[in-house]
Amino acid sequence: MNYREAVDFVHAAGWTKIHLGLERIAELSRRIGNPEKDLKFIHITGTNGKGSTSAFLTAILMAEGYRVGAFTSPDLMSLNERMAIDGTPIADEDFAEIASAVAREAREMENQPSSFELLTAIALEYFRREECDVVVLEVGLGGDLDATNIVMPLVSVITGIAHDHMHILGKSLAEIATTKCGIIKSGRPVVFGGEARKVLPIISEFAMRNGSELFVGNYAEIKDQKSDLFGSRFDYKSWENVGISLLGLYQPKNAVVALETVEVLNKYGLKVSERAVYEGLLKAKWAGRFEIISKEPLIIYDGGHNEQGVRACMESVRHLFPGRKVNVLTGILANKDRGEIIRQVGEMAERIFTVRASGDERAYDSGVYAEEYLRAGYAAESCRGVKNGMEKAIRAAQENGLPILVVGSLHLYLEVIDFLTIK
């Protein structure tokens, strides 16, 4: 297969059908020689913050001089982004070659793997071939039955627990926490970010049952935080004047999870220096999370796509633009609980432009979404796609002098960036 054929093969396996379970990925991995057995992992799950925490840890380990693989999702521009080494996505030719080898084995399987399972296998084989020292491995969905859960990690990380994907993971925080605790492995330490502390007894029970030492972040110990449009500085426990470039009032919390994880790695034998921590945290980049994508007009993109994520985004907006509102372009997936999202967005929005990501069958109808905002008393209008929505948002910004916030599904990112590039 060439690169285009390889990408088509992965997509054809299916994204919308959720194949939770380890039987297929275990068989596929066995068929390609169990690459996960030759690698060291930091395994990360959580409702929000997985990507940013992964970015922080990847940058820290790179600063220490390790060769670092990173498996993340979703992709914003191309599938290649999901598997990177030292911050560089897999090359097209490498993706095609490894995907071809994986495809030969997958086609022999009676129970065909899903798109995500194929990508997981491709990534694991890529990291093995490139002899990565450590892999930062992000869960796709949930934990216990996610395709990434065939690995034995150095440390398991649960960034936080909140309501999302309830139709799959469970209706309550307790059920969601139980699912995510599935990545805790016997005798291996676990870090919990500390959000939703009511589920801490559940995580503690899982850790105790597995003989896993538990480390818990304490966001109350974040002191002297100063956040602006250039990033944040803060103190945490013995760490003083920590600087990060990722924007958003919530990013110090994700940095804290990374700091706690570094402490665990040092305790369990993977050495990371203080210099590498400070350098890595400051250098870390993560697209689509409170990212400034245009300075004139000022446009910020944030992939907050559930209640907790949107609330955190709006807290950052209030902090950075006190006493002001913003123009909002937004679109979400149809399976999201929209009530609290609509209230959070509506309270901070001068005008709202709803859009539907093109080519995504899971995207929510923009017309219905706009009507829901209108019924709640907010000024909203539906747009004919992202291009039309961006044009209207920019005109509004020129008229009222307010920034533009693009918030919601990360599946909007490529279309927004394409519009700005062409414009």
Side-chain angles (χ1 to χ4, degrees):
M1 292 190 291
N2 60 30
Y3 173 72
R4 191 67 258 164
E5 291 168 338
V7 170
D8 289 343
F9 171 74
V10 171
H11 283 311
W15 293 102
T16 56
K17 52 185 181 183
I18 304 298
H19 279 178
L20 291 179
L22 301 181
E23 298 83 5
R24 290 171 302 278
I25 186 62
E27 179 183 349
L28 182 56
S29 180
R30 178 183 57 76
R31 285 172 173 268
I32 63 174
N34 291 114
E36 74 280 0
K37 293 185 177 180
D38 296 323
L39 296 164
K40 297 176 180 178
F41 297 94
I42 300 171
H43 199 190
I44 303 179
T45 189
T47 306
N48 293 304
K50 294 189 299 294
S52 297
T53 302
S54 296
F56 283 133
L57 286 168
T58 297
I60 289 169
L61 293 167
M62 285 172 56
E64 188 59 45
Y66 291 111
R67 185 165 174 78
V68 188
F71 183 61
T72 57
S73 60
D75 55 276
L76 300 181
M77 310 290 278
S78 75
L79 278 180
N80 302 49
E81 298 167 28
R82 295 191 179 217
M83 55 197 79
I85 296 177
D86 290 347
T88 301
I90 186 172
D92 290 355
E93 55 270 26
D94 290 331
F95 186 92
E97 179 187 351
I98 297 173
S100 297
V102 170
R104 283 194 294 272
E105 299 301 329
R107 289 182 177 125
E108 296 297 317
M109 293 171 57
E110 182 177 348
N111 192 357
Q112 289 290 292
S114 68
S115 295
F116 186 76
E117 289 165 339
L118 290 172
L119 275 185
T120 301
I122 293 168
L124 293 175
E125 176 61 13
Y126 176 53
F127 298 143
R128 175 173 66 175
R129 291 188 184 189
E130 294 297 319
E131 299 181 337
C132 288
D133 297 312
V134 61
V135 174
V136 178
L137 189 73
E138 184 183 322
V139 164
L141 179 64
D144 57 350
L145 300 179
D146 184 79
T148 62
N149 205 29
I150 59 171
V151 308
M152 179 60 74
L154 297 172
V155 56
S156 302
V157 180
I158 303 173
T159 58
I161 306 293
H163 290 104
D164 199 14
H165 300 293
M166 285 96 77
H167 61 298
I168 298 171
L169 304 182
K171 298 293 184 183
S172 68
L173 288 181
E175 290 177 310
I176 295 170
T178 298
T179 297
K180 294 185 185 299
C181 281
I183 71 166
I184 298 174
K185 299 298 196 305
S186 179
R188 303 301 168 96
V190 55
V191 174
F192 175 48
E195 208 80 287
R197 296 187 83 84
K198 67 173 67 174
V199 301
L200 183 55
I202 296 172
I203 296 171
S204 297
E205 171 64 23
F206 267 83
M208 185 173 63
R209 195 184 310 156
N210 282 279
S212 302
E213 189 174 6
L214 174 62
F215 299 80
V216 182
N218 185 358
Y219 300 146
E221 292 196 49
I222 298 175
K223 307 294 185 183
D224 297 324
Q225 180 176 335
K226 300 176 181 64
S227 299
D228 54 27
L229 285 172
F230 300 96
S232 295
R233 286 203 169 268
F234 62 95
D235 299 336
Y236 179 71
K237 294 184 177 178
S238 64
W239 299 92
E240 296 182 349
N241 197 28
V242 177
I244 59 176
S245 298
L246 296 189
L247 307 187
L249 212 56
Y250 53 85
Q251 287 296 4
K253 293 181 179 180
N254 295 322
V256 159
V257 180
L259 287 170
E260 292 285 349
T261 304
V262 166
E263 298 280 6
V264 174
L265 291 173
N266 274 314
K267 181 173 182 176
Y268 280 80
L270 188 70
K271 298 305 178 184
V272 183
S273 67
E274 183 177 295
R275 174 203 58 79
V277 172
Y278 279 99
E279 181 182 325
L281 286 175
L282 194 57
K283 286 185 175 180
K285 299 184 183 305
W286 192 234
R289 282 73 172 182
F290 220 85
E291 176 191 7
I292 295 176
I293 56 176
S294 170
K295 293 183 178 179
E296 189 56 47
L298 180 59
I299 305 175
I300 296 172
Y301 193 108
D302 190 84
H305 57 275
N306 54 41
E307 180 181 324
Q308 184 189 47
V310 172
R311 183 183 297 110
C313 172
M314 294 308 159
E315 288 174 355
S316 297
V317 171
R318 289 186 183 91
H319 175 79
L320 295 172
F321 308 107
R324 303 174 69 194
K325 292 193 173 187
V326 292
N327 301 295
V328 174
L329 182 138
T330 184
I332 60 174
L333 299 184
N335 61 5
K336 300 300 177 183
D337 187 354
R338 296 177 298 281
E340 183 62 15
I341 291 175
I342 288 171
R343 188 184 71 81
Q344 290 285 339
V345 171
E347 288 183 356
M348 286 304 300
E350 180 71 18
R351 297 180 64 183
I352 300 167
F353 305 93
T354 62
V355 296
R356 186 181 192 277
S358 64
D360 190 343
E361 60 189 63
R362 299 171 297 169
Y364 193 50
D365 183 271
S366 61
V368 178
Y369 198 26
E371 289 173 5
E372 290 174 346
Y373 277 105
L374 290 168
R375 284 199 299 271
Y378 304 116
E381 62 177 294
S382 174
C383 305
R384 301 186 312 277
V386 171
K387 178 178 182 294
N388 178 241
M390 286 298 297
E391 289 171 342
K392 290 185 176 182
I394 289 173
R395 279 199 296 272
Q398 292 168 342
E399 293 168 2
N400 58 32
L402 297 176
I404 297 170
L405 173 68
V406 183
V407 62
S409 173
L410 285 164
H411 295 269
L412 301 173
Y413 190 86
L414 178 58
E415 289 186 81
V416 171
I417 295 299
D418 281 349
F419 170 83
L420 293 174
T421 302
I422 295 171
K423 184 176 81 71

